[in-house]
Amino acid sequence: MSRFFYALLVSLVGIGIVHITVLLLLPQFSERDAWSSLAAASDFYKSVRVDGSDDQAPLVGALDPLFRASACRFDLKEGPVHIRAPGNVPFWSVSIYNRAGQNVYSFNDRATERGALDFVVLTPSQMIEIRKAPPETYQRSIFVQVPIGEGIVVVRSFVPDPTWEETTSAFLAKMACSKEV
């Protein structure tokens, strides 16, 4: 009888290990991740609404109904990426993800002096080059150094009530995601 319980215990532990391994590896093998969805929707350096506005289905599920979001893919091997959006909204936040979908950097409008959305994503080596002779367009930008090659920038904007919907949509529609060489 003790052999039966020992075999049962070993089997359950083995099943648990396999189950946890499969769960941890699932994002690696999934073809319906955020990167794939954005790649199907647009090219690099093109801002895309991910919240399902403009009569389109949401690119990602489980979004907060009080936020609107836009995203763009970038490749830092081609140079820094400059993200800007004119206008003022009650609150915005930015998240930078690597290609695997892991968050590598986040900040919000409280990190800026004027609350303006104007930042540059670059690698540490690109930052060294930029500091030698900063371009005029970077004078008021926030610099975000990330140790990645390809990634996704997601900008979220808060909509406290329906009167802000048009302003928020215009803010995200005018978001520029440009490659700086």
Side-chain angles (χ1 to χ4, degrees):
M1 188 61 128
S2 66
R3 283 185 164 179
F4 172 73
F5 286 119
Y6 179 74
L8 181 65
L9 180 65
V10 170
S11 298
L12 289 175
V13 169
I15 289 169
I17 291 171
V18 169
H19 180 73
I20 291 171
T21 303
V22 168
L23 287 177
L24 293 175
L25 289 176
L26 190 60
Q28 300 284 337
F29 296 107
S30 176
E31 293 181 11
R32 296 188 53 182
D33 61 353
W35 184 269
S36 300
S37 297
L38 282 171
S42 73
D43 203 5
F44 283 96
Y45 311 105
K46 301 285 187 211
S47 180
V48 173
R49 291 289 296 265
V50 296
D51 56 17
S53 63
D54 304 329
D55 298 327
Q56 297 175 351
L59 290 177
V60 292
L63 294 171
D64 188 325
L66 295 178
F67 280 83
R68 303 298 173 259
S70 285
C72 80
R73 294 181 312 130
F74 61 86
D75 186 356
L76 293 180
K77 295 175 198 134
E78 297 179 6
V81 61
H82 195 177
I83 314 295
R84 297 175 299 252
N88 292 316
V89 291
F91 174 82
W92 56 259
S93 68
V94 172
S95 295
I96 301 170
Y97 299 91
N98 64 13
R99 187 176 173 144
Q102 298 167 329
N103 191 334
V104 295
Y105 201 89
S106 296
F107 65 97
N108 61 36
D109 61 344
R110 305 308 185 250
T112 66
E113 184 179 316
R114 303 169 287 126
L117 180 67
D118 184 1
F119 66 98
V120 179
V121 181
L122 34 62
T123 64
S125 61
Q126 291 167 340
M127 184 65 181
I128 292 169
E129 292 300 315
I130 294 285
R131 285 186 187 226
K132 291 178 183 175
E136 189 69 31
T137 58
Y138 291 175
Q139 292 302 319
R140 297 188 153 248
S141 300
I142 293 174
F143 292 95
V144 178
Q145 294 181 46
V146 292
I148 60 175
E150 296 177 327
I152 301 169
V153 170
V154 178
V155 176
R156 293 175 198 85
S157 181
F158 180 58
V159 182
D161 61 60
T163 61
W164 283 96
E165 187 70 48
E166 187 176 326
T167 303
T168 301
S169 291
F171 175 78
L172 293 174
K174 294 177 183 174
M175 185 178 98
C177 178
S178 56
K179 174 176 50 171
E180 303 289 323
V181 189

